[in-house]
Amino acid sequence: MRILLLARVHLGTVAVLFVLTLSACLLVAGLPRAMQASYDEALRRALGAAPAVQTDLTVTVESRSPDEDLRERTQFDSRDSLWREIVPPDLRPLLPRTGHMSAKTTLTPITGTSGQSYINLGWLSDAAERVEWVQGRVPGAPATTRYEGETIPVFEVGISEEALPEMGLRVGESKTVGENDYAVVKIVGAFRAKDPGARYWSHNSELLHVTKLQPPGQLDFEKHITTLMSDAGLSALSGAGRNLSYRWVLPLDATAATALGAPDLRAAVSEFDRVVALQSTGSASPYHLETGLPKLLDDFLAGLSTAQTVMYLVLGGLLAVALGVIVLAVHLLADRLDHTLSLTRARGGALRQVAGAAAALTGLAVVPAALAGYALSFLVPGPVLPIVHAGPLLVVLVAVGFAAARTVAAHRTPLHERRDDVAAARPSAKRVTLELLVVVLALAGAYLLRARGLTASTGQDPFLLLVPIALTLAAALITLRCYPYPLRLLVRLTARGRAAVPFLGLTRAARARSASVLPVLILLPALGVSVFAAVVSDGIASTQRLASWQRAGAPIKVTSEIEIPAAAIDQVRALAGVRRVVLAQTGRVQVGYGAERAEAIAVDVARWRELLGGAPVGLPALSDGALVSPELRGRGTFEIGWQSRLKLATRGVIASVPGFYGKGKFLVVPIGVQVRPAVNTLLIDGDASLTGALERLVPSATVVSQERILHDIQDDPLTSTVRWTLVVVTAALAAYALIAVILSLVIGAADRARALSFLRTLGLSDRQAQRLTVLEILPMILVTALAGLGLGLGLPAALGPGVDLSSYAGDLPVGDYALDPFLPSALAAGLAAVAVLGAYAHIAIGRRRSLGAVLRVGDLT
């Protein structure tokens, strides 16, 4: 059989099949690559945004005796080489050769300060590259001196420029440290970091800044600073009388991390921790690994698992719908070939020959299209996953396999004519039982999923992936089985009327051939998944907005650790674009007369409520007393210490204060209770573009805006990937749904033209023919649209705790799945419009045909 000739004869259908296959293969191969690339970017950004002390691998050991002391740099270097040799292979690409080592003491008090001030000793292997000396000189070798009849070491050290005034020290001064094993610290210079914002200083922040700690039950703060000594100082530094620890920092290169390798990376860190501990054999001080990388990876994998689950659901639905539409196109092509293949069979053609011809013609259309879609997918950046290869192959196999199978089923017997337009075949008991089992299992699965949640914190739960498929299949079966019954009721009602068109149109719809109801299996998942995607996308968007307001508390928030001068506040009010300014004071207050503390904010609540306006957050009204957190409830009237002693009556309990507190002990009081409020917070209603000007007017403050916070939440790679994928899938599914309606119209065109030709011989007008065609097509589309809408709205509720989208919504749970009615209305209206236009186009085309071109000799006798 001449395949190329058949392709030219049926060029239109072959072209449609080519385009559908090309689009399906491009989507199924390109979208996973783009998604995986965004997963990799999300992991790299998460690791890059975390402090280096969390991502880097730090091997630590404490020195407890002179035998365990490291006196020379070479001793540090040899151990650094050892750690790099025993690093597991999965970790090595992420660990560059750069790194640093350190030796530091902790809790070294200044003698005579009763434990209120501490000067610790520190050594950094690369200090010369990291700091610049601004006062004095570089520390030199240690010396000795006599103190209380004993010889003690004198360490020459440098101290950060910032710490000098805060600790009350000066260059050239010496301090005795220790309580039993004394030493003298001689400050010979002051330094500052060459790049204070470098990730490096996350490991050594105690050298740059004074650490303030408040011991339990005390009002005063302890002050700690770590100084910097030379390599020569190691010779006199011992852990025998001090809390001395050594560290080897192996920095992590986040740019080399991939989402696919994250589980292996997590396992490699555990293995490295194990082999590091083995190096402690025979030593009283064990080596151990310090890193927050496993926690970061676990958090990422948990968010990734949710993203992959949502993506699997929508992409699986997209693939199923795309395959369904391609099957419809193959069905159309097979119908076009039916006459040719029937003649071939009648003339002695073998069944294998006609099936091979149909498969070859289908392959001629889909194989080049699949190859083109597969090739185009490589223009999408991202790693090549197995689905990139398997997806196009699956599309080709389904299309060619369906073409061969349908031809075999249709032409097993030569010239065997079938009629299935008279009455629907009664399903067998086995088939009904199987369909009921599917429905029951789907409902039971949805119930169990909500009841038990997920079985694992990370990874894919097969139950979560199977339940939506079962629900979709159950909804499709119910729709197929039930939609003829209301139509038959309408048929009985229209049979009592005088008009024939409603009766005939609804009767044909109720007795639709299997090819006519096949689009239900495509339209229902297409509408269901697209509505589900729209619901999830809208839920994420609304929760992101809520999270941004909860973090900001105002359109613009200005916070400072010190009081904001009145002159600066006046300048802020006069700034162009500022519409309203609400003053507030925040601080930590004493509750009662004991050691209990709570966070507090004094503010004009009424004006703050007006400033929030239509925001999704707010506070109850408050004129006196206090609003308290759940931890402070039930106290009635209580007293706090804040500038002065204040007695406050509890006026309400609130779970959070937008922009400030979300957990712990906190309270909100009217700003008028303060004798002289020390304003350190400004809540501003103004344009987000004012943040730069506000930072210049109040240099001591931190300025944040609700719009900027919302942008940061939405800019997260995982979040943006989930949302744009949902948008792309929704658009693709809507297009496939419309194509399915068009193909269903074309597939039934011949049978419909024949029926209308019969009726035209009885006097059916063109207008009546149009109405009859619309009544035949619209019921199936409308019923399927309603079923798909119900499925899409029900899937988020059915999945329940199985899909935690808080990672993409500012860490707030996404539970308000309110749907904008525009999308389902637009989809239903679009499908109905296509059906109506198709009906009118069909009648317009059929009007040009004569009855003799449609009816055969003897059809009217």
Side-chain angles (χ1 to χ4, degrees):
M1 192 172 291
R2 301 175 62 182
I3 304 301
L4 294 179
L5 177 60
L6 290 176
R8 285 200 301 269
V9 172
H10 304 288
L11 183 60
T13 308
V14 170
V16 170
L17 186 55
F18 179 91
V19 172
L20 291 176
T21 304
L22 173 65
S23 63
C25 292
L26 177 58
L27 288 173
V28 77
L31 282 178
R33 293 191 63 180
M35 288 160 45
Q36 194 61 45
S38 68
Y39 297 159
D40 293 344
E41 176 61 24
L43 175 59
R44 293 161 186 164
R45 187 176 298 188
L47 296 178
V53 71
Q54 294 183 21
T55 60
D56 296 346
L57 306 179
T58 304
V59 180
T60 67
V61 66
E62 295 181 0
S63 177
R64 299 175 181 174
S65 68
D67 295 337
E68 297 172 341
D69 292 339
L70 303 181
R71 305 285 187 169
E72 299 176 354
R73 176 187 283 267
T74 56
Q75 294 176 293
F76 284 89
D77 292 337
S78 63
R79 284 167 175 78
D80 180 69
S81 300
L82 173 63
W83 307 140
R84 295 185 180 277
E85 288 177 3
I86 63 176
V87 166
D90 290 332
L91 272 174
R92 287 176 184 171
L94 279 72
L95 298 178
R97 293 302 304 175
T98 59
H100 73 278
M101 303 161 286
S102 65
K104 299 175 186 175
T105 66
T106 56
L107 298 176
T108 308
I110 300 177
T111 306
T113 61
S114 301
Q116 294 300 306
S117 297
Y118 294 80
I119 297 181
N120 299 309
L121 299 171
W123 169 79
L124 297 178
S125 61
D126 55 352
E129 303 170 7
R130 297 292 181 176
V131 303
E132 58 181 355
W133 297 90
V134 294
Q135 295 184 41
R137 60 179 176 84
V138 178
T144 58
T145 189
R146 300 287 297 177
Y147 182 78
E148 294 186 354
E150 297 182 0
T151 301
I152 62 174
V154 178
F155 293 95
E156 289 191 356
V157 300
I159 191 170
S160 72
E161 184 182 30
E162 171 189 316
L164 284 174
E166 196 164 352
M167 294 290 296
L169 302 173
R170 65 180 185 277
V171 174
E173 186 177 11
S174 296
K175 290 287 184 179
T176 304
V177 296
E179 294 178 346
N180 297 312
D181 196 339
Y182 298 102
V184 173
V185 175
K186 183 178 181 181
I187 304 173
V188 298
F191 64 85
R192 69 164 66 107
K194 293 181 179 179
D195 183 8
R199 291 173 55 81
Y200 171 91
W201 291 108
S202 172
H203 294 280
N204 306 291
S205 60
E206 68 273 22
L207 275 84
L208 298 184
H209 311 292
V210 176
T211 303
K212 297 180 180 180
L213 302 176
Q214 186 176 27
Q218 297 186 21
L219 298 178
D220 296 329
F221 287 88
E222 298 176 353
K223 294 182 178 181
H224 300 249
I225 188 63
T226 299
T227 57
L228 186 61
M229 63 182 184
S230 65
D231 291 0
L234 289 173
S235 60
L237 187 63
S238 174
R242 315 189 192 286
N243 300 314
L244 175 61
S245 61
Y246 303 123
R247 290 178 172 82
W248 291 263
V249 178
L250 307 179
L252 189 79
D253 180 13
T255 60
T258 62
L260 291 175
D264 294 335
L265 185 61
R266 176 69 174 84
V269 173
S270 299
E271 174 64 15
F272 186 46
D273 189 13
R274 186 186 68 83
V275 295
V276 164
L278 292 177
Q279 310 306 313
S280 306
T281 304
S283 174
S285 300
Y287 290 97
H288 61 279
L289 181 66
E290 291 183 355
T291 180
L293 185 58
K295 176 64 167 55
L296 293 173
L297 291 174
D298 288 343
D299 292 343
F300 170 77
L301 289 174
L304 177 63
S305 176
T306 302
Q308 289 177 329
T309 298
V310 175
M311 295 301 98
Y312 287 157
L313 291 178
V314 297
L315 290 181
L318 176 62
L319 177 59
V321 171
L323 289 175
V325 174
I326 290 173
V327 165
L328 268 182
V330 174
H331 191 289
L332 175 61
L333 181 60
D335 281 354
R336 295 288 190 265
L337 291 173
D338 188 70
H339 181 68
T340 302
L341 298 181
S342 296
L343 288 177
T344 302
R345 285 288 281 153
R347 293 172 179 175
L351 183 60
R352 181 178 57 184
Q353 181 182 4
V354 296
L361 182 58
T362 304
L364 184 64
V366 299
V367 171
L371 292 175
Y374 175 75
L376 289 174
S377 69
F378 281 84
L379 298 177
V380 180
V384 180
L385 305 175
I387 186 63
V388 176
H389 308 303
L393 180 61
L394 177 63
V395 171
V396 172
L397 292 178
V398 168
V400 176
F402 177 77
R406 187 197 176 280
T407 305
V408 169
H411 297 281
R412 283 178 299 179
T413 304
L415 298 180
H416 177 66
E417 295 191 0
R418 301 160 302 279
R419 289 195 65 187
D420 51 1
D421 60 331
V422 177
R426 184 181 298 275
S428 64
K430 291 183 179 180
R431 183 172 179 178
V432 172
T433 303
L434 180 61
E435 292 177 355
L436 287 176
L437 180 62
V438 170
V439 174
V440 171
L441 289 178
L443 295 177
Y447 171 78
L448 291 176
L449 182 61
R450 287 191 58 84
R452 72 167 177 81
L454 291 178
T455 57
S457 58
T458 60
Q460 294 302 318
D461 185 351
F463 202 62
L464 180 61
L465 299 177
L466 293 176
V467 167
I469 297 174
L471 287 173
T472 303
L473 182 58
L477 291 175
I478 293 173
T479 304
L480 284 174
R481 289 292 170 225
C482 295
Y483 101 93
Y485 295 107
L487 291 182
R488 291 173 185 175
L489 178 60
L490 291 176
V491 168
R492 291 185 179 182
L493 295 177
T494 55
R496 299 178 182 179
R498 299 182 60 184
V501 170
F503 172 77
L504 292 174
L506 294 176
T507 299
R508 286 183 56 83
R511 295 181 175 182
R513 296 173 53 198
S514 59
S516 300
V517 299
L518 181 61
V520 173
L521 300 176
I522 301 170
L523 292 178
L524 192 139
L527 292 172
V529 174
S530 61
V531 172
F532 169 74
V535 168
V536 171
S537 181
D538 287 347
I540 292 175
S542 60
T543 309
Q544 286 174 340
R545 182 171 179 268
L546 174 62
S548 67
W549 278 103
Q550 286 193 353
R551 292 185 186 180
I556 302 176
K557 181 178 66 175
V558 180
T559 56
S560 174
E561 294 183 358
I562 61 176
E563 183 177 359
I564 300 176
I569 297 175
D570 292 338
Q571 290 177 331
V572 170
R573 285 197 173 102
L575 195 63
V578 173
R579 294 179 286 273
R580 185 180 304 174
V581 178
V582 178
L583 309 182
Q585 178 185 356
T586 61
R588 190 170 178 82
V589 302
Q590 180 186 23
V591 180
Y593 289 91
E596 186 178 14
R597 298 290 188 273
E599 302 294 336
I601 177 172
V603 65
D604 187 336
V605 176
R607 295 194 63 198
W608 192 7
R609 284 161 54 90
E610 293 175 0
L611 182 142
L612 291 174
V617 296
L619 287 172
L622 178 70
S623 57
D624 63 343
L627 301 172
V628 301
S629 65
E631 287 82 353
L632 295 175
R633 75 167 71 205
R635 306 199 181 198
T637 299
F638 60 98
E639 190 169 338
I640 65 171
W642 192 14
Q643 292 184 346
S644 62
R645 303 300 302 182
L646 301 172
K647 287 188 176 181
L648 303 168
T650 301
R651 299 303 184 192
V653 178
I654 53 177
S656 63
V657 180
F660 295 93
Y661 319 118
K663 59 182 179 179
K665 298 178 181 180
F666 56 84
L667 63 152
V668 180
V669 301
I671 197 169
V673 301
Q674 298 283 44
V675 177
R676 192 196 72 81
V679 176
N680 59 5
T681 301
L682 304 179
L683 305 172
I684 302 172
D685 181 12
D687 300 330
S689 58
L690 297 173
T691 54
L694 291 171
E695 289 173 349
R696 290 190 295 270
L697 291 178
V698 191
S700 63
T702 301
V703 182
V704 297
S705 69
Q706 179 267 332
E707 289 187 12
R708 183 63 200 177
I709 293 175
L710 178 60
H711 177 270
D712 291 341
I713 294 174
Q714 294 175 340
D715 190 48
D716 177 76
L718 277 182
T719 301
S720 59
T721 297
V722 169
R723 294 208 63 192
W724 71 252
T725 302
L726 292 177
V727 171
V728 171
V729 170
T730 301
L733 288 173
Y736 280 133
L738 296 177
I739 294 172
V741 172
I742 296 173
L743 289 177
S744 65
L745 287 170
V746 177
I747 289 175
D751 180 69
R752 194 177 304 110
R754 186 168 179 271
L756 292 178
S757 297
F758 274 116
L759 295 174
R760 284 170 60 189
T761 63
L762 300 177
L764 186 73
S765 66
D766 289 341
R767 184 178 297 275
Q768 289 174 321
Q770 292 168 348
R771 291 169 53 198
L772 188 149
T773 305
V774 169
L775 287 174
E776 178 186 349
I777 297 170
L778 273 185
M780 180 269 293
I781 293 176
L782 295 179
V783 171
T784 306
L786 292 176
L789 175 60
L791 176 65
L793 293 176
L795 276 178
L799 298 179
V803 179
D804 179 15
L805 299 172
S806 59
S807 301
Y808 320 114
D811 296 326
L812 291 183
V814 181
D816 183 18
Y817 292 111
L819 175 67
D820 185 352
F822 171 77
L823 178 67
S825 301
L827 287 175
L831 293 176
V834 169
V836 172
L837 291 176
Y840 279 90
H842 172 70
I843 299 303
I845 295 173
R847 187 185 301 126
R848 294 178 297 177
R849 296 181 180 179
S850 64
L851 294 181
V854 179
L855 300 179
R856 294 178 297 179
V857 176
D859 280 342
L860 300 179
T861 60

